[in-house]
Amino acid sequence: MSVEDADKPAEVMWEGRFIRAVRRGRWEYVGRRGGIEAAVIYAETPAGEVILVEQYRVPLGRRSLELPAGLVGDDPAHAGAQGEGVASAAARELEEETGYHAGRIEELGFFYASPGMTSEGFTLVRAHNVVKVGDGGGDAQEDIEVILVPRADLPAFVAAKRAAGVAIDVKMLLLLGDALL
């Protein structure tokens, strides 16, 4: 963005329940409403398998292979007086989506998803000491498949999923960096 666009006021063009479309100068982008952010969870089973999820994503029109993730502060039922924190949201989402409970959540940093198109960011966390406590699969509106893949098998597994027409979330690059480069 040019310096002149950075000084332009942000104009909300459209706002829905969760997102808003904004124009600032010549740029248009989307962002989440109400300060809601996301937590993306890296977790391994005690056997060294990476915990992944696959689910249908409406914007893509197909299923997507992803790290487990969820919104922070989107559900008032989980927000206390200070609001829901990243670690508690990540632990809740990991258990809801995958059936694994984390003994500890470590925050690794805040990252932006696609800075040329969206202001959305996420906190990457690592779940330690995970224990299987349920089936996972998400809530009633989700159809999440839980997938466990040994780290060494990830490049071939992702390639097979891609060949089968499954979308691959950009955050999977975290796990594929060395193999791709």
Side-chain angles (χ1 to χ4, degrees):
M1 176 166 28
S2 71
V3 173
E4 65 190 56
D5 286 337
D7 294 336
K8 300 284 185 189
E11 170 194 353
V12 176
M13 299 165 45
W14 175 86
E15 191 166 55
R17 182 173 168 206
F18 295 107
I19 63 170
R20 68 174 53 133
V22 178
R23 179 179 302 136
R24 183 182 297 265
R26 297 170 295 134
W27 286 79
E28 296 174 349
Y29 60 94
V30 295
R32 292 216 181 264
R33 286 190 58 204
I36 293 173
E37 62 182 72
V40 175
I41 306 135
Y42 174 78
E44 281 186 27
T45 68
E49 301 158 309
V50 178
I51 302 171
L52 302 174
V53 295
E54 184 179 310
Q55 60 187 312
Y56 185 83
R57 292 297 193 178
V58 171
L60 304 178
R62 59 184 167 153
R63 294 184 69 79
S64 177
L65 183 66
E66 309 169 1
L67 289 166
L71 298 178
V72 179
D74 67 322
D75 186 349
H78 297 289
Q82 304 296 320
E84 183 179 36
V86 170
S88 61
R92 172 179 55 78
E93 288 287 348
L94 180 66
E95 195 165 323
E96 179 184 289
E97 289 191 359
T98 71
Y100 281 87
H101 174 79
R104 180 172 68 90
I105 297 288
E106 173 187 10
E107 293 185 30
L108 301 175
F110 191 84
F111 300 87
Y112 289 94
S114 181
M117 186 180 144
T118 177
S119 62
E120 179 184 27
F122 63 90
T123 300
L124 179 64
V125 303
R126 182 174 186 151
H128 294 272
N129 308 317
V130 298
V131 177
K132 182 85 169 154
V133 296
D135 294 331
D139 62 28
Q141 290 81 37
E142 297 172 310
D143 178 22
I144 296 174
E145 177 186 354
V146 180
I147 302 170
L148 307 178
V149 182
R151 279 200 60 135
D153 297 345
L154 278 166
F157 180 81
V158 171
K161 284 291 188 177
R162 182 179 284 115
V166 175
I168 308 301
D169 186 303
V170 69
K171 293 175 284 302
M172 291 295 295
L173 287 172
L174 170 72
L175 306 174
L176 298 173
D178 289 340
L180 289 176
L181 300 175

